[in-house]
Amino acid sequence: MTQGLIGRRSERARLDAAPAAAPRGPGSLVLLCGEAGSGKTRLAEDVLGTAPDVTFVRGAAMPGCAPFGPLTAALRGYMRLQPDALRSCGPLKEHLALLLPELGEARESDDRATLFEALRCGLTAMVADRPAAILLDDLQWSDAATLEFLTVLAPTLDELPLLIAGAYRSDELSRSHPLRRLRHDLRRD
C-alpha cells in the first residue's frame, strides 16, 4: 500500500481533473513548480500513473541534456509499450527518426517547423487509441528546443486527448531561463 501525499489536496484535485477530462475533451499542458524535494514528481506520478484508461509515460531532463531530451525519453517509453505505434507517422517518420534512430533512416533537415510537426505526429500516434499523460520532469535542466516545442504545441493541445505535466524546480530558475518565457507565453495564451 502506498502512503498518501500529505498537504497536497488542492494540487491533487486540480491535477486529477485533467486526465479525467482527457477521454472526452481537449488536452492540456500543466506546469508543476516547487523547491527540490517538495513532491512535484511524486504528485504527478501518483495522479497520472494511476489514471484509469490513460497511457502514462515520462521523460526527464538532465544537466546538459540533448535537444528534445525529455520528449525523446517519453516517446521511447511509449515505444516500449507499443513498439510499432510511431510507424504511422508516414513521411514525418523520417524526421522523427532524427531523434529516434530506432524508427529507421533519418532525413536531415534544418527546418525546425518540420521537426516540430514530426514530434506532434508522434504525440498524435500516442493518443490514437487512448488518452495519454506525459510527465516531463526536471524542466529546469531542459534544453531550449524542448521548451520552444512546448510553447508551439500548447495551443494545439485542444485537438488531442493528451496531458503534458512539466515539473521544475522554481529555486533553480535564473531570470533569463527559457522556462520563464514558456510560463509567460502559456499565461498570455
Side-chain angles (χ1 to χ4, degrees):
M1 181 170 138
T2 60
Q3 186 175 0
L5 294 170
I6 298 172
R8 296 283 183 250
R9 197 169 279 135
S10 66
E11 292 89 347
R12 182 180 179 107
R14 291 179 74 191
L15 197 54
D16 270 334
R24 61 180 189 280
S28 59
L29 173 60
V30 176
L31 294 177
L32 306 170
C33 69
E35 295 178 356
S38 64
K40 304 171 296 297
T41 302
R42 170 79 192 280
L43 173 66
E45 288 175 338
D46 191 51
V47 172
L48 304 178
T50 60
D53 300 318
V54 174
T55 301
F56 174 65
V57 294
R58 65 187 315 253
M62 294 180 277
C65 70
F68 305 105
L71 291 163
T72 302
L75 287 169
R76 278 199 172 107
Y78 181 65
M79 288 172 59
R80 284 190 289 279
L81 299 172
Q82 300 289 331
D84 292 328
L86 299 183
R87 302 217 182 270
S88 66
C89 289
L92 291 173
K93 182 180 79 139
E94 293 175 349
H95 295 279
L96 194 54
L98 288 170
L99 302 175
L100 299 164
E102 54 267 50
L103 289 178
E105 192 171 330
R107 179 180 295 172
E108 292 292 331
S109 173
D110 291 335
D111 182 15
R112 184 160 275 201
T114 301
L115 183 55
F116 282 7
E117 190 58 29
L119 279 165
R120 188 177 186 288
C121 183
L123 297 174
T124 301
M126 184 184 296
V127 298
D129 294 327
R130 63 189 281 184
I134 300 173
L135 170 60
L136 299 177
D137 205 5
D138 290 322
L139 285 181
Q140 75 277 359
W141 293 324
S142 186
D143 59 290
T146 296
L147 300 176
E148 183 182 347
F149 173 71
L150 292 175
T151 301
V152 170
L153 178 68
T156 69
L157 283 174
D158 60 345
E159 303 165 5
L160 300 173
L162 174 66
L163 169 64
I164 298 178
Y168 67 94
R169 296 178 185 174
S170 56
D171 54 335
E172 292 190 24
L173 291 189
S174 65
R175 287 190 175 271
S176 62
H177 196 287
L179 190 50
R180 289 186 183 271
R181 180 172 183 213
L182 171 63
R183 278 190 340 206
H184 172 76
D185 290 345
L186 292 175
R187 286 180 182 146
R188 183 192 67 219
D189 292 339

